[in-house]
Amino acid sequence: MFARGSAVVLYQPQWGQVRNMATLKDITRRLKSIKNIQKITKSMKMVSAAKYARAERELKPARVYGTGALALYEKAEIKAPEDKKKHLLIGVSSDRGLCGAIHTSIAKTLKNEITNLSNAGKEVMVVGVGDKIRGLLQRTHGNYFLMTFKEVGRRPPSFGDASVIASELLNSGYEFDEGSVIYNRFRSVISYKTDEKPIYSFETVAGSESLSIYDDIDADVLRNYQEFTLANILYYSLKESTTSEQSARMTAMDNASKNASEMIDKLTLTFNRTRQAVITKELIEIISGAAAL
Amino acid sequence: MIRARQLLRLAALPPPRARSYADAAAGPAAMAFTFASPTQVFYNGTTVKQVDVPTLTGSFGILASHVPTLQVLKPGVVTVYAEDGTATKYFVSSGSVTVNADSTVQVLAEEAVTMDMLDLATAKSNLEKAVSEMAAASDEAARAEAQIKVEANEALVKALE
């Protein structure tokens, strides 16, 4: 009668934070998975280190080449006239992630530039070198995109890649007056900085007054020169960008491996404690069972 | 009477202007020369005496205080005369030359090699292949590409002979 009366079942709400004591099996599973992840991040770090060494070696001549190409713009102090409307932004990054803040810093700079230029009344188009740029900006600034270049980052960039990009830009039909290339400049193994280099169209350079000190230039020669310089600047930014990316990936994977080993240490301690607790509990059960007899 | 008037007229004339040579060219006396390809740097701001470059408008030599100019390279030989007079030759495929007002010269070549990396026999056989390609070319773009090959190989053969 009593038993029938108490038909109330203890109702344990299922949506609360119910944390049971982790069983040995749970901890073992977690430990195994984190150890696997640590192996992966360690090997990714090794691969990045090798790629970084090569990229840094190839960056040295590329830097001389790039500064040589930009020397004209600096020495002649070419500036686009203020009333020119069409602007082009080229964001140089890559397809692959797990490299820290490489892609987000380019995207952030691009977003700021788009806002500034649009507020100043200029028409802006964006070119993304690398799929990540498209991914980051597509939702909010999708209508500014002129074109995107994929398969960047898999192999080290060559001058051929830069000339492909340059010829696509020139054949795109978008007659920009001036523009900038936004890339990550490599400073050291642990640091890089997002930098911007200017590019000018053929008309802007031809119309610039400081160009008159340069002797004996006809339109054909200047056009060839401009196209070549565009390819040079793109090549330089690609080289700097890959070096920064590989060094950032090396650092990121190194941090990940370190975090993973910290977690492994903590979990191993918890595992041992739990194992001892289980053994103690079993012993107590046996002893109390024996004592009850 | 007449002599006095003549004297007055002579005095009224402006003094004869002395004739002299043009002023010396402005700019620093030494040329800072940078010569690089995308993968290799040959000279980086080094001081050299003279550089001969093959451009689309003809070959010319650049000395210090050359008038500023921009040029586009065509396939040919770039000769660099160092301060001590030794000449080094490089074969370039294409590129650009910039001479600035402060006597800095940048020669950026798409591909540049020293002459000892080239072989005359291979160059000749490539030239023959390129000529036959041009004859067989069907459309404008293919013919233009074949023409470029022919010109480059001709320059190679001429440079090696």
Side-chain angles (χ1 to χ4, degrees):
Chain A
M1 256 152 288
F2 248 82
R4 206 169 301 181
S6 59
V8 176
V9 170
L10 179 62
Y11 186 60
Q12 200 168 26
Q14 286 304 308
W15 56 79
Q17 273 284 43
V18 180
R19 280 281 231 50
N20 293 320
M21 173 71 173
T23 60
L24 273 179
K25 205 161 68 173
D26 289 339
I27 301 182
T28 322
R29 204 172 341 125
R30 256 191 106 188
L31 209 51
K32 196 168 75 168
S33 118
I34 295 181
K35 278 191 180 149
N36 280 340
I37 290 180
Q38 195 202 32
K39 278 201 201 106
I40 294 173
T41 53
K42 243 194 202 144
S43 69
M44 279 185 79
K45 178 188 157 200
M46 294 285 130
V47 168
S48 285
K51 288 192 178 168
Y52 160 74
R54 177 175 175 179
E56 212 216 342
R57 219 175 34 234
E58 295 181 354
L59 181 64
K60 284 202 189 71
R63 262 202 178 147
V64 175
Y65 197 72
T67 34
L70 290 159
L72 169 68
Y73 291 158
E74 286 160 19
K75 293 207 200 288
E77 288 177 19
I78 297 183
K79 265 188 288 282
E82 280 308 311
D83 60 344
K84 290 292 181 173
K85 286 285 169 205
K86 294 194 172 191
H87 215 98
L88 179 73
L89 292 172
I90 306 176
V92 179
S93 185
S94 85
D95 287 353
R96 290 151 154 220
L98 293 177
C99 47
I102 293 280
H103 308 298
T104 48
S105 62
I106 301 274
K108 200 164 67 170
T109 316
L110 275 173
K111 279 186 193 160
N112 286 338
E113 285 289 312
I114 292 176
T115 325
N116 290 343
L117 289 167
S118 303
N119 290 343
K122 310 237 173 141
E123 184 190 329
V124 185
M125 278 295 209
V126 175
V127 169
V129 176
D131 220 16
K132 285 284 179 183
I133 302 290
R134 186 185 61 90
L136 283 169
L137 290 178
Q138 187 72 20
R139 203 167 300 150
T140 48
H141 297 81
N143 50 340
Y144 288 101
F145 265 90
L146 182 63
M147 58 176 77
T148 309
F149 293 88
K150 287 175 137 186
E151 296 296 316
V152 180
R154 200 177 290 262
R155 284 167 301 121
S158 68
F159 191 76
D161 300 332
S163 27
V164 163
I165 299 176
S167 50
E168 284 296 320
L169 276 176
L170 294 163
N171 296 338
S172 68
Y174 179 64
E175 304 286 337
F176 63 95
D177 297 311
E178 64 166 326
S180 15
V181 181
I182 298 169
Y183 65 103
N184 286 311
R185 184 168 52 91
F186 174 73
R187 284 206 303 206
S188 81
V189 188
I190 51 168
S191 90
Y192 60 87
K193 192 171 180 311
T194 313
D195 206 5
E196 208 175 310
K197 284 281 189 266
I199 51 175
Y200 301 100
S201 73
F202 166 65
E203 285 81 17
T204 319
V205 173
S208 162
E209 49 188 69
S210 41
L211 204 71
S212 54
I213 58 167
Y214 287 88
D215 176 54
D216 188 28
I217 300 176
D218 54 349
D220 258 348
V221 168
L222 189 58
R223 189 179 287 279
N224 275 333
Y225 186 88
Q226 269 298 93
E227 292 177 0
F228 188 63
T229 309
L230 180 62
N232 288 348
I233 295 177
L234 283 167
Y235 173 75
Y236 166 69
S237 59
L238 276 169
K239 281 292 187 194
E240 291 267 1
S241 180
T242 31
T243 317
S244 310
E245 185 198 328
Q246 296 300 347
S247 74
R249 188 169 291 129
M250 211 167 71
T251 320
M253 291 296 103
D254 189 35
N255 286 340
S257 310
K258 280 204 193 86
N259 291 344
S261 25
E262 251 182 60
M263 284 176 81
I264 288 173
D265 288 339
K266 270 201 234 154
L267 271 179
T268 313
L269 285 175
T270 325
F271 177 79
N272 286 332
R273 267 205 309 270
T274 318
R275 188 178 50 89
Q276 288 166 348
V278 164
I279 293 173
T280 314
K281 195 169 80 150
E282 282 183 14
L283 271 174
I284 290 177
E285 281 176 12
I286 294 170
I287 292 172
S288 52
L293 283 170
Chain B
M1 280 286 123
I2 306 164
R3 215 166 280 158
R5 207 182 301 146
Q6 274 174 346
L7 273 168
L8 265 171
R9 207 179 293 137
L10 273 172
L13 281 172
R17 270 195 218 106
R19 300 184 72 196
S20 61
Y21 289 108
D23 291 325
M31 168 169 64
F33 179 56
T34 307
F35 175 31
S37 77
T39 45
Q40 209 180 346
V41 174
F42 299 101
Y43 295 86
N44 186 7
T46 27
T47 311
V48 297
K49 210 163 55 152
Q50 182 182 335
V51 185
D52 291 337
V53 288
T55 69
L56 282 180
T57 49
S59 264
F60 62 99
I62 306 174
L63 288 134
S65 308
H66 192 279
V67 62
T69 182
L70 303 173
Q71 292 293 341
V72 172
L73 293 172
K74 75 166 192 240
V77 175
V78 167
T79 319
V80 182
Y81 297 93
E83 285 277 313
D84 56 1
T86 48
T88 333
K89 291 192 183 200
Y90 303 89
F91 189 84
V92 298
S93 67
S94 64
S96 66
V97 180
T98 315
V99 182
N100 301 111
D102 56 358
S103 266
T104 50
V105 178
Q106 286 96 21
V107 176
L108 301 170
E110 191 167 336
E111 288 190 29
V113 290
T114 44
M115 299 303 281
D116 53 5
M117 307 265 282
L118 301 169
D119 174 41
L120 182 57
T122 326
K124 279 198 170 136
S125 70
N126 281 345
L127 177 60
E128 282 161 19
K129 257 190 281 183
V131 168
S132 60
E133 246 177 66
M134 188 158 100
S138 50
D139 63 351
E140 280 300 314
R143 197 173 307 133
E145 278 181 30
Q147 173 121 17
I148 296 174
K149 269 196 218 172
V150 166
E151 280 173 12
N153 282 311
E154 270 174 0
L156 259 171
V157 168
K158 199 165 78 144
L160 286 168
E161 272 168 356

